C-alpha cells in the first residue's frame, strides 16, 4: 500500500516536472496578471494508486504579498474524492498542477486546517520560473543548520524565534 502511494507521488512529481519544462515557453503559462475571480479550470493529482485524475478549480481571488512578497491564488476545488467523500484538500496534493484556459498557472501549495470547503492556495508558476533565474542571489533570508535548527533569529510579527 505504501509503495503504491510512493509510486503515485513519483508519477505526479514526474508529470509536474515535465509540465514545468514544457511551460518554459511563455505561451504555455497563464500569467498571474490575468487571473480573475470566477475563472474556472482544472488540476491534476493522484487520489489513489498511480492513476492521474482531474479535479475542477474555481478561482476565488489573488492574494497579493502573501508568500514572501509574492502573490498566491486562492481556489475552490471540486470533483473526484474531493466532492464524493467531502474530503476537501487531501494530504499529498501539494505540487498538483493547476490550469486555466488550458495553460498552467501554478501548483497547489497550501491547504487550511479543518476547512469547511475544499479551498487551497496555488503558487503561480511564473514565480517558480523566476526563482530558477541563475542571476538571483543564492542566499536565503534565513539559514537552517543541518539539524533543522535556525542558525540566526527570525522575526515574525515583531517576535523573535531562534
Amino acid at each position: 500500500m505504501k509503495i503504491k502511494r510512493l509510486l503515485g507521488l513519483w508519477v505526479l512529481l514526474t508529470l509536474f516536472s515535465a509540465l514545468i519544462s514544457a511551460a518554459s515557453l511563455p505561451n504555455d503559462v497563464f500569467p498571474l496578471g490575468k487571473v480573475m475571480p470566477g475563472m474556472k479550470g482544472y488540476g491534476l493529482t493522484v487520489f489513489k494508486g498511480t492513476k492521474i485524475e482531474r479535479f475542477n478549480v474555481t478561482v476565488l481571488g489573488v492574494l497579493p504579498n502573501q508568500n514572501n512578497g509574492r502573490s498566491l491564488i486562492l481556489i475552490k476545488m471540486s470533483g473526484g474524492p474531493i466532492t464524493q467523500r467531502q474530503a476537501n484538500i487531501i494530504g499529498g496534493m501539494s505540487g498538483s498542477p493547476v490550469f486555466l484556459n488550458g495553460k498552467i498557472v501554478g501548483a497547489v501549495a497550501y491547504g487550511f486546517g479543518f476547512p469547511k470547503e475544499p479551498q487551497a492556495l496555488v503558487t503561480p508558476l511564473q514565480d517558480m520560473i523566476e526563482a530558477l533565474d541563475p542571476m538571483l542571489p543564492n542566499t536565503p533570508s534565513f539559514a537552517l543548520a543541518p539539524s533543522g535548527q535556525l542558525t540566526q533569529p527570525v522575526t515574525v510579527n515583531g517576535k523573535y524565534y531562534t
Side-chain angles (χ1 to χ4, degrees):
M1 182 73 155
K2 198 173 196 178
I3 291 174
K4 284 185 177 181
R5 286 182 186 224
L6 289 174
L7 183 59
L9 180 60
W10 178 80
V11 167
L12 184 62
L13 290 175
T14 302
L15 171 69
F16 187 66
S17 296
L19 289 172
I20 286 179
S21 297
S24 296
L25 302 172
N27 291 337
D28 292 346
V29 178
F30 194 87
L32 177 62
K34 292 186 178 182
V35 175
M36 304 297 286
M39 293 182 84
K40 298 200 182 292
Y42 67 94
L44 299 173
T45 198
V46 174
F47 291 113
K48 183 177 179 182
T50 60
K51 182 181 174 194
I52 297 171
E53 296 184 59
R54 192 172 173 147
F55 59 93
N56 300 316
V57 167
T58 301
V59 174
L60 299 177
V62 175
L63 308 174
N65 302 317
Q66 295 298 309
N67 188 22
N68 293 319
R70 301 288 192 153
S71 297
L72 291 169
I73 303 166
L74 178 62
I75 61 168
K76 183 175 180 179
M77 303 175 297
S78 63
I82 294 170
T83 303
Q84 293 167 356
R85 297 192 319 241
Q86 296 178 337
N88 293 319
I89 188 169
I90 299 169
M93 285 184 74
S94 293
S96 298
V98 175
F99 300 83
L100 295 174
N101 292 341
K103 296 180 180 185
I104 188 165
V105 70
V108 173
Y110 304 99
F112 299 96
F114 306 106
K116 291 185 178 186
E117 294 185 9
Q119 297 177 347
L121 294 166
V122 171
T123 299
L125 185 65
Q126 185 175 319
D127 290 349
M128 290 185 246
I129 291 171
E130 288 175 14
L132 295 174
D133 184 347
M135 300 305 290
L136 289 175
N138 198 15
T139 54
S141 58
F142 62 89
L144 288 177
S147 66
Q149 298 294 315
L150 292 170
T151 58
Q152 59 189 20
V154 175
T155 305
V156 178
N157 293 329
K159 295 180 183 178
Y160 289 96
Y161 296 90
T162 56

